[in-house]
Amino acid sequence: MKWKQQLNGMKAYKPGKPIEEVKREFGLDEVVKLASNENPYGYSPKVKAFLESDYTNHAIYPDGYAQSLRTAVAEYLDVKESELIFGNGSDDLIAILTRALLYPGVNTVMATPSFSQYKHNAEIEGAEVREVPLKNRKHDLEAMLNAIDENTSIVWICNPNNPTGTIVSDEELKAFLAKVPSEVLVVLDEAYFEYVNDPAYQNTLPYVQQYPNVVVMRTFSKAYGLASFRVGYLVGQEDVVAKLDPVRAPFNNTILSQKVAIVALNDQQFITECCEANEKGKQQYVEFCEKHGLDYYPSQTNFILFEVKADSDLVFQEMMERGFIIRSGNALGAPGYIRVTIGTEQQNSKFLGLLEEVLTEQGVFA
């Protein structure tokens, strides 16, 4: 068969083991997943109430244009409906962008470590990938500018960055955008936008109006707690969205996901409460790291990447056997570190107590 040459040696994305499998494997009654940065508080009570009373006819196709959701998001963001495109999660939007703009002969610039799907999708399309190491734990925007040439098609800025949780300040971003060539698309991936409380981070939607080559991606998967419903959206100028839309699959958001996202959007009090609880939970990890002299990345998200002074894979395995699924830093370009989703206060306390046991067994703590 005539496979794309780029697929040779590529591996599919492998999510962590599901909770039920971990329970069976280790004989556990309870397993807490702190690996994928989901909202530990779930979704809005209004969503729960809606789902309990919903009588959607799932035998018909959804609205391919997502008109009701489009109107709701446009009003909430104060943008035009024609400036939005919806995806089956941000992963779908990344695939749409790469399919539309990347091909053999062009290149794409991104930070490393950063979200793996930028590189993965670029390689499928046969584009050259130019990875720029972080500097001072943030995107090195100056080096990224230097990596741009006449063949650059997309620059990715994950802000806040996954897996580090660090941000690019508005001042830094503003200076960067002013220097990027107008024919290069800049993608601002803001999956964790709702969690940021650093005043140096500003709403970037005005940059979409100022620069035709800037788009912003956000999602309902994180703070809104709708990860399984797969709803992401992109904001860009009308001409850009019109170019991207033909690449989108005809019915890429289900009827139910569109309805649920509207309900979730209309409960901003829930989002505020989740973000406040997240800050308190984050402080539990910061205090643990400072108590034990462990390095940590200053996070503006609902996860934290921190040092364990031991083999990351070993710590990952030991914690899984104790009922907590996390991410090893070895898989994220950060050996000797682990990335942990910030859970509820009770989950965090139990996790950190068990982690202290593991690191003591490994000789990290006396």
Side-chain angles (χ1 to χ4, degrees):
M1 286 180 273
K2 299 177 178 63
W3 298 105
K4 270 187 172 183
Q5 184 180 353
Q6 299 91 278
L7 296 181
N8 294 335
M10 290 192 73
K11 296 180 180 179
Y13 177 80
K14 289 186 178 181
K17 289 185 178 181
I19 290 174
E20 292 305 316
E21 183 179 339
V22 174
K23 283 183 178 180
R24 286 193 300 269
E25 184 175 351
F26 300 109
L28 299 169
D29 295 324
E30 181 184 7
V31 170
V32 178
K33 184 185 176 190
L34 299 178
S36 301
N37 310 331
E38 296 123 334
N39 188 336
Y41 304 100
Y43 42 65
S44 163
K46 293 182 179 180
V47 170
K48 183 177 185 294
F50 169 79
L51 291 171
E52 290 173 349
S53 61
D54 179 53
Y55 295 100
T56 296
N57 180 1
H58 293 285
I60 63 173
Y61 285 107
D63 172 12
Y65 195 59
Q67 183 59 65
S68 296
L69 177 58
R70 180 178 299 274
T71 299
V73 173
E75 290 178 354
Y76 178 70
L77 298 179
D78 192 23
V79 301
K80 297 177 183 177
E81 293 184 5
S82 55
E83 293 174 333
L84 289 165
I85 183 170
F86 291 88
N88 187 14
S90 293
D91 294 312
D92 186 29
L93 295 169
I94 293 168
I96 289 170
L97 287 163
T98 55
R99 189 178 179 191
L101 286 154
L102 298 182
Y103 45 86
V106 302
N107 67 70
T108 179
V109 176
M110 63 196 69
T112 185
S114 192
F115 189 47
S116 62
Q117 293 305 292
Y118 311 145
K119 180 178 181 179
H120 181 81
N121 281 276
E123 288 180 337
I124 289 174
E125 299 304 330
E128 177 193 351
V129 175
R130 296 184 175 181
E131 295 182 282
V132 178
L134 300 179
K135 182 179 181 180
N136 299 325
R137 301 192 162 179
K138 301 191 302 181
H139 283 60
D140 186 347
L141 297 184
E142 183 176 353
M144 291 177 75
L145 272 173
N146 291 334
I148 296 172
D149 64 17
E150 66 277 7
N151 295 318
T152 303
S153 187
I154 304 179
V155 175
W156 306 88
I157 298 181
C158 189
N159 196 27
N161 188 42
N162 180 10
T164 61
T166 52
I167 62 167
V168 171
S169 72
D170 183 63
E171 182 180 358
E172 293 167 322
L173 182 60
K174 186 184 300 183
F176 175 78
L177 294 178
K179 296 176 183 177
V180 175
S182 60
E183 68 274 13
V184 176
L185 184 74
V186 179
V187 180
L188 306 178
D189 185 352
E190 300 180 345
Y192 301 93
F193 169 81
E194 290 82 5
Y195 288 108
V196 182
N197 61 10
D198 189 328
Y201 183 98
Q202 298 293 313
N203 185 0
T204 56
L205 293 182
Y207 292 130
V208 173
Q209 303 305 323
Q210 185 177 353
Y211 298 101
N213 61 323
V214 173
V215 298
V216 172
M217 293 195 307
R218 294 180 185 168
T219 183
F220 284 91
S221 294
K222 304 302 180 184
Y224 287 92
L226 302 180
S228 70
F229 288 95
R230 313 305 300 126
V231 184
Y233 61 90
L234 177 149
V235 185
Q237 289 198 10
E238 288 177 293
D239 290 348
V240 174
V241 170
K243 282 284 191 181
L244 293 172
D245 209 28
V247 185
R248 178 181 56 83
F251 305 106
N252 62 334
N253 291 114
T254 68
I255 294 175
L256 190 57
S257 67
Q258 292 177 36
K259 289 184 176 181
V260 165
I262 295 171
V263 176
L265 187 66
N266 288 326
D267 190 0
Q268 289 301 311
Q269 180 61 34
F270 174 75
I271 301 300
T272 298
E273 291 170 358
C274 288
C275 292
E276 289 175 349
N278 181 73
E279 281 304 306
K280 293 178 181 178
K282 189 192 302 178
Q283 191 59 31
Q284 290 178 265
Y285 287 89
V286 170
E287 290 174 359
F288 178 87
C289 290
E290 292 181 346
K291 172 186 174 182
H292 293 292
L294 301 175
D295 180 52
Y296 63 92
Y297 283 68
S299 175
Q300 287 291 312
T301 66
N302 68 334
F303 62 83
I304 185 166
L305 181 69
F306 65 96
E307 183 184 30
V308 288
K309 295 184 178 178
D311 185 299
S312 301
D313 288 345
L314 184 149
V315 174
F316 160 81
Q317 184 67 28
E318 291 288 338
M319 292 306 299
M320 185 163 59
E321 292 179 13
R322 289 164 170 77
F324 283 90
I325 307 172
I326 59 173
R327 288 296 302 273
S328 165
N330 287 345
L332 302 171
Y337 287 69
I338 56 173
R339 193 194 69 186
V340 183
T341 304
I342 297 164
T344 65
E345 181 179 3
Q346 183 179 13
Q347 289 170 346
N348 299 333
S349 294
K350 185 177 180 181
F351 173 85
L352 291 170
L354 292 172
L355 179 62
E356 192 164 30
E357 287 181 12
V358 169
L359 296 185
T360 298
E361 291 174 4
Q362 296 304 313
V364 177
F365 303 152

